[in-house]
Amino acid sequence: MDQQRHMQKKLDNDNKHTSPQISTHVAIEVHGAQLYSHKVFEEFKEEVKYSMDTCKSRGFSEGDSLEVTTVSDTNKDRNYKVTYCPFTFKETCSRRMLERKSIICRHVIWIYSYNGLKAIPDECVVNRWCKDAVRSKMFDCNGEAAEDVDIIDGK
C-alpha cells in the first residue's frame, strides 16, 4: 500500500508541475493538456491527431437547433453520425466514446474544430480525469475516516 501511495503522490506531483508534450498545437489540444492528467491526455492527444488526419465531412443537415453531420473516418473506413447543437455545445456521436471512456472522440473533436471551439465544453469533461480532481476521503467499515483510524493487530 505504501508503494501505491508513493506512486500516486508522484503522479499527482508530475501532473501539477509538468506539462505534457503537445503534437498538433490545435487549440482544443492545448486546452486538453491544461485540463487532463498526463495519462488521459495521451489518449486524448491521439484522438486529436487522428481527427486532423483522418476525419472528413460526408454530409450535413440542419434542424431547428441541431446540426447533423456524417463524419467519415478514413482510418477505420466507416462513417459516424455526429449531432451537434451550436448554442449549448452538446453533441452525440454514434461511436459513443464519451459514454464508454469519458473522453470525446476524434469525430466530435473534428466538429468542434470545424465550428471554431477552442476549449472542451464542461459537459464533456469528467472530473476524475482532470489534473485537479479532488480525492474523496476513504472510510473504514465503521464509517470512520481512514486517516484517523489506528492500526490494530497490524491489519
Side-chain angles (χ1 to χ4, degrees), residues 11-150:
L11 290 173
D12 287 345
N13 186 54
D14 289 348
N15 281 327
K16 285 182 183 178
H17 301 292
T18 62
S19 296
Q21 187 174 6
I22 297 170
S23 60
T24 64
H25 297 288
V26 175
I28 204 161
E29 182 185 10
V30 173
H31 182 248
Q34 296 166 351
L35 184 70
Y36 291 129
S37 67
H38 290 320
K39 185 166 181 142
V40 174
F41 176 71
E42 290 303 316
E43 189 172 347
F44 178 73
K45 180 168 74 170
E46 287 298 310
E47 290 297 315
V48 171
K49 182 179 152 203
Y50 282 121
S51 76
M52 299 301 127
D53 294 342
T54 65
C55 292
K56 295 180 173 84
S57 176
R58 290 283 182 220
F60 178 79
S61 62
E62 197 168 345
D64 293 334
S65 63
L66 295 176
E67 297 174 357
V68 179
T69 307
T70 303
V71 178
S72 173
D73 190 339
T74 57
N75 191 36
K76 296 186 180 220
D77 204 23
R78 289 191 59 193
N79 294 328
Y80 295 91
K81 181 180 170 185
V82 179
T83 307
Y84 171 70
C85 180
F87 306 112
T88 62
F89 307 117
K90 289 202 173 217
E91 90 323 299
T92 57
C93 178
S94 58
R95 185 176 178 200
R96 301 229 179 263
M97 187 169 167
L98 183 63
E99 290 83 1
R100 288 184 293 115
K101 292 187 171 184
S102 301
I103 299 174
I104 56 176
C105 68
R106 60 190 74 170
H107 315 107
V108 173
I109 293 169
W110 188 85
I111 293 291
Y112 284 163
S113 296
Y114 179 79
N115 285 298
L117 263 70
K118 297 186 185 313
I120 304 165
D122 291 338
E123 296 82 25
C124 298
V125 177
V126 177
N127 187 42
R128 71 183 288 182
W129 302 138
C130 295
K131 288 181 179 183
D132 59 354
V134 178
R135 297 200 192 298
S136 58
K137 282 190 167 190
M138 294 180 64
F139 298 92
D140 68 358
C141 58
N142 296 326
E144 296 176 31
E147 292 81 22
D148 299 343
V149 177
D150 293 330

